[in-house]
């Protein structure tokens, strides 16, 4: 495991989270077009997201060993992990993008605030999600049925986005008369998903996060504290930490370690999930990604959806047959249209469950049971079946039935307030990202493999449940713990104080870890005697006349972590990624040309 892998031109480079934000293209989309600089995302997101990809890679390798009977070596690159997991440019995107790929975005940072708009209420900020026709009808009623927007054409998401300049002031005026709690409650009542933009102290104090099991009370050196309870429920039990971190040299390796047993028919070249059947009921990003992770590695994945309610990922900006995002997210799967509310559809699904290994869902909790296929029913049909569930806020508590949209979860978890320009009233910059959807898919995929290994030993299936909010809390757990111990010491927006410098050209930027080695930075830019107080200004002057890629290479040669801000087109042409074989091609017959894929 390394920042750039053990081969390729950048194999000797070092990086920080901020450098990875630049080189994975995340920085190029973070920020607002009316602010000069792009905005570094919260630092903890980078390595925490890469860690989730690493967990999945380890479990995938275990599945590979079981399938082949042979050991293996994985060359894990943090940069390549982040290209796939944090905000992938060659992967499925959220439904608010309406099928528009990231490669079609303007060169400058896109203004995505209209996708999941934020409005000031009397005592705080509220974000809403109005995507589906049903959600728009709820908002229309909530606004008092304004005649200006009575035309059925406004049922279209694209049409409403185009009219945001007229529509959003109406919503803003309504919210200005409400408290945050009133706005969220009325939104829920009208079928309009809404969430308050919470701060760290509000997150810790929120009862819903105790009732859903996200947080537990603990003590640190005798002081009361709040700790995150972990990512997973396995068989309806929260999987929490079993012990603290070991001291250096503490602990012994068990001599009774259970060996990994190869599968029957294991042979070299066998794909990790060959012979596995997966019923994929998932939708949008988490659903598509989770099924794809198994389909790409040999599983027979059957995507099941209803023609009356097709997957939202299928929408396209101009009525095309299929979007690039759907092509990426649904690749390698078979497809089945099935009405699970009708008798024949239920019969067919029950027969499929009898012959399946895994069932994937990301419905609201209770939806599968309401269709007649709760875990007890699935288990009666097939004792060895494994059910994977994912929702916005988990299976328990008053928020369990809230609709799960990543931007609303980010707002409720305190992340949206951190991903903003400090001091800017409208500086929130997380609207276009789809974190934590891809992370949650990896977490569930890893847990499924663990349950498959357990099934081989016990014969029993199992159930894994995750919540999007826990993926966020897991990434910022230490910061929330700090806030609970010393109020005011938790996370806050940092902006670009960590080191973003303009380069030569239009909107070209260089990220440098100035703190790592003052002397090396000073020497490289020709001011070996510079002190820390003046170094940033001198570095800004030096970088302004240089191509960021050349400047980064020069600094890396001196042992300084640095990287140029890359965009989508830069990844396609990147020599390091080409040498490492990161990208391939996906041929989708309905599209005019092959897609880049990883």
């Amino acid at each position: 495991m390394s920042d750039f892998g053990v081969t390729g031109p950048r194999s000797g480079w070092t990086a920080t989270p901020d450098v990875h934000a630049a080189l994975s293209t995340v920085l190029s989309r973070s920020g607002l077009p009316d602010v000069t600089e792009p905005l570094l995302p919260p630092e903890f997101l980078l390595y925490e997201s890469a860690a989730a990809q690493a967990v999945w890679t380890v479990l995938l390798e275990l599945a590979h060993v079981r399938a082949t009977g042979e050991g293996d070596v994985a060359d894990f690159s943090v940069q390549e992990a982040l290209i796939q997991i944090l905000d992938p440019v060659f992967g499925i995107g959220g439904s608010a993008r309406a099928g528009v790929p990231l490669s079609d975005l303007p060169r400058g940072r896109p203004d995505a605030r209209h996708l999941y708009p934020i409005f000031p209420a009397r005592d705080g900020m509220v974000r809403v999600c109005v995507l589906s026709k049903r959600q728009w009808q709820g908002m229309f009623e909530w606004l008092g049925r304004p005649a200006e927007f009575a035309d059925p054409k406004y049922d279209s998401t694209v049409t409403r986005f185009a009219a945001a300049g007229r529509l959003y002031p109406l919503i803003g005026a309504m919210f200005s008369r409400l408290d945050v709690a009133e706005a969220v409650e009325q939104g829920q009542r009208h079928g309009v998903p809404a969430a308050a933009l919470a701060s760290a102290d509000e997150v810790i104090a929120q009862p819903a996060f105790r009732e859903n099991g996200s947080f537990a009370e603990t003590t640190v050196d005798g002081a009361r504290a709040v700790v995150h309870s972990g990512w997973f429920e396995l068989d309806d039990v929260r999987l929490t930490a079993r012990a603290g971190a070991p001291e250096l040299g503490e602990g012994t390796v068990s001599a009774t370690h259970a060996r990994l047993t190869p599968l029957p028919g294991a042979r070299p070249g066998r794909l990790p999930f060959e012979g596995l059947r997966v019923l994929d009921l998932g939708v949008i990003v988490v659903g598509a990604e989770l099924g794809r992770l198994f389909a790409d590695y040999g599983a027979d994945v059957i995507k099941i959806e209803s023609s009356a309610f097709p997957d939202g990922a299928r929408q396209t900006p101009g009525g095309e047959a299929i979007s690039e995002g759907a092509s990426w997210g649904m690749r390698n799967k078979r497809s089945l249209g099935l009405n699970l509310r009708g008798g024949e559809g239920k019969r067919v699904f029950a027969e499929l469950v009898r012959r399946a290994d895994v069932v994937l869902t990301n419905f609201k909790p209770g939806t599968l049971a309401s269709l007649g296929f709760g875990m007890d029913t699935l288990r009666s049909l097939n004792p060895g079946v494994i059910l994977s569930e994912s929702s916005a806020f988990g299976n328990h508590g008053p928020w369990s039935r809230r609709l799960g949209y990543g931007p609303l979860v980010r707002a409720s978890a305190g992340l949206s307030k951190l991903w903003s320009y400090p001091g800017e009233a409208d500086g929130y910059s997380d609207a276009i990202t789809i974190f934590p959807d891809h992370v949650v898919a990896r977490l569930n995929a890893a847990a499924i493999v663990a349950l498959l290994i357990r099934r081989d030993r016990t014969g029993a299936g199992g159930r894994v449940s995750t919540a999007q909010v826990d993926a966020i809390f897991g990434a910022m757990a230490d910061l929330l713990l700090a806030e609970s111990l010393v109020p005011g010491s938790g996370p806050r927006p940092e902006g670009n104080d960590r080191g973003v410098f303009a380069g030569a050209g239009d909107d070209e930027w260089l990220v440098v870890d100035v703190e790592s080695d003052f002397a090396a930075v000073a020497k490289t830019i020709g001011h070996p005697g510079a002190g820390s107080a003046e170094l940033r200004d001198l570095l800004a002057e030096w970088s302004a006349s240089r191509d960021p890629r050349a400047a980064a290479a020069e600094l890396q040669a001196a042992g300084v972590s640095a990287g140029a801000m890359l965009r989508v087109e830069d990844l396609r042409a990147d020599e390091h990624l080409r040498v490492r074989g990161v990208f391939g091609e996906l041929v989708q017959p309905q599209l005019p040309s092959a897609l880049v894929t990883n």
Side-chain angles (χ1 to χ4, degrees):
M1 188 183 298
S2 59
D3 283 313
F4 299 101
V6 299
T7 61
R10 284 198 291 274
S11 60
W13 282 28
T14 61
T16 62
D18 293 339
V19 170
H20 278 304
L23 291 172
S24 64
T25 76
V26 172
L27 180 61
S28 69
R29 295 181 296 282
S30 180
L32 301 171
D34 50 2
V35 181
T36 302
E37 292 184 343
L39 176 66
L40 286 170
E43 190 175 19
F44 58 81
L45 288 183
L46 283 301
Y47 280 150
E48 292 290 346
S49 298
Q53 179 76 356
V55 169
W56 160 240
T57 300
V58 170
L59 271 294
L60 178 62
E61 282 285 22
L62 289 176
H64 186 219
V65 170
R66 297 168 73 230
T68 64
E70 297 181 337
D72 201 2
V73 175
D75 176 10
F76 182 90
S77 156
V78 172
Q79 183 195 18
E80 292 159 27
L82 292 172
I83 288 171
Q84 296 183 57
I85 194 172
L86 184 50
D87 193 21
V89 292
F90 305 124
I92 186 169
S95 53
R97 290 183 187 168
V100 177
L102 289 176
S103 56
D104 287 354
L105 293 175
R107 176 175 176 79
R109 287 160 297 289
D111 192 345
R113 286 173 285 191
H114 65 286
L115 300 180
Y116 302 96
I118 296 171
F119 300 98
R122 288 191 299 204
D123 58 346
M125 309 295 289
V126 180
R127 170 175 271 167
V128 298
C129 173
V130 184
L131 297 177
S132 70
K133 177 181 177 180
R134 182 181 302 177
Q135 290 162 358
W136 161 241
Q137 292 298 328
M139 176 59 78
F140 183 64
E141 292 290 337
W142 193 8
L143 287 170
R145 302 179 63 84
E148 182 182 2
F149 294 99
D151 193 309
K153 69 181 183 181
Y154 291 107
D155 289 344
S156 164
T157 306
V158 174
T159 302
R160 290 197 305 275
F161 284 166
R166 293 181 289 115
L167 175 60
Y168 288 3
L170 294 181
I171 301 174
M174 179 174 67
F175 275 46
S176 69
R177 300 188 293 270
L178 301 172
D179 294 336
V180 166
E182 292 174 328
V184 173
E185 188 277 328
Q186 290 186 26
Q188 297 292 326
R189 182 152 36 91
H190 284 88
V192 178
L197 265 67
S199 56
D201 59 318
E202 292 168 333
V203 166
I204 292 169
Q206 175 54 249
F209 297 142
R210 300 292 198 290
E211 296 181 48
N212 76 342
S214 289
F215 292 131
E217 303 290 334
T218 188
T219 58
V220 176
D221 294 333
R224 173 190 167 276
V226 174
V227 64
H228 180 234
S229 301
W231 296 267
F232 301 106
E233 281 186 13
L234 290 180
D235 301 325
D236 302 317
V237 177
R238 175 75 67 151
L239 189 66
T240 58
R242 291 172 293 179
E247 299 293 336
L248 187 63
E250 179 186 350
T252 58
V253 177
S254 170
T256 59
H257 167 70
R259 291 180 58 82
L260 198 67
T261 304
L263 295 171
R267 66 182 187 281
R270 180 178 173 179
L271 291 173
F273 303 121
E274 184 179 318
L276 195 75
R277 173 167 283 183
V278 178
L279 306 182
D280 182 0
L281 298 171
V283 295
I284 317 291
V285 180
V286 174
E289 276 293 285
L290 181 52
R292 180 192 67 77
L293 292 172
F294 288 91
D296 279 0
Y297 293 99
D300 176 18
V301 178
I302 303 172
K303 178 170 177 57
I304 299 172
E305 53 190 315
S306 166
S307 59
F309 300 100
D311 193 327
R314 292 191 181 277
Q315 65 179 313
T316 58
E320 294 83 359
I322 196 168
S323 67
E324 292 186 4
S327 302
W328 278 312
M330 301 176 189
R331 71 188 188 215
N332 292 328
K333 302 177 185 179
R334 295 199 285 166
S335 182
L336 175 63
L338 206 59
N339 177 13
L340 292 181
R341 298 191 183 277
E344 180 63 9
K346 290 178 182 291
R347 186 195 66 76
V348 171
F349 185 70
E351 184 58 33
L352 287 170
V353 170
R354 290 187 180 97
R355 293 182 285 160
D357 298 283
V358 180
V359 176
L360 310 177
T361 76
N362 61 321
F363 301 142
K364 286 189 295 185
T367 300
L368 197 60
S370 73
L371 295 170
F373 292 99
M375 188 61 198
D376 289 343
T377 301
L378 295 178
R379 191 177 285 116
S380 69
L381 293 168
N382 181 349
V385 75
I386 292 166
L387 173 64
S388 167
E389 300 174 312
S390 175
S391 62
F393 296 103
N395 292 337
H396 313 288
W399 290 9
S400 62
R401 298 290 294 172
R402 288 191 174 187
L403 284 173
Y405 291 94
L408 302 186
V409 179
R410 292 195 299 270
S412 300
L415 180 56
S416 296
K417 276 198 170 182
L418 300 180
W419 203 329
S420 65
Y421 289 98
E424 294 281 343
D426 192 25
Y428 305 106
S429 301
D430 69 318
I432 200 166
T433 183
I434 46 179
F435 178 86
D437 296 63
H438 290 267
V439 170
V440 173
R442 269 64 173 186
L443 293 174
N444 278 63
I448 290 168
V449 176
L451 289 173
L452 288 169
I453 294 172
R454 187 185 72 173
R455 188 180 70 172
D456 286 348
R457 295 173 179 164
T458 67
R463 178 186 185 187
V464 56
S465 301
T466 61
Q468 284 192 326
V469 75
D470 281 318
I472 299 175
F473 289 155
M476 54 195 295
D478 55 336
L479 301 174
L480 293 173
L481 175 63
E483 174 66 27
S484 73
L485 285 167
V486 181
S489 66
R492 58 182 54 82
E494 296 181 4
N496 291 331
D497 290 345
R498 303 191 302 268
V500 177
F501 302 90
D506 174 32
D507 199 39
E508 297 285 351
W509 300 90
L510 173 71
V511 175
V512 183
D513 180 15
V514 182
E515 306 295 331
S516 61
D517 192 335
F518 279 118
V521 174
K523 183 178 180 182
T524 302
I525 66 174
H527 296 276
S532 59
E534 57 183 333
L535 188 60
R536 286 181 178 271
D537 290 339
L538 293 171
L539 180 55
E541 181 182 343
W542 177 83
S543 68
S545 61
R546 285 170 168 76
D547 175 84
R549 294 160 187 77
E554 194 172 347
L555 287 163
Q556 287 279 355
V560 177
S561 291
M565 184 185 78
L566 301 184
R567 295 180 171 85
V568 177
E569 61 270 20
D570 298 319
L571 291 186
R572 294 192 183 106
D574 189 273
E575 178 66 11
H576 176 79
L577 300 176
R578 187 194 66 78
V579 168
R580 288 182 56 79
V582 170
F583 300 123
E585 285 191 342
L586 172 64
V587 176
Q588 183 71 35
Q590 298 91 341
L591 298 178
S593 58
L595 298 177
V596 176
T597 190
N598 55 9

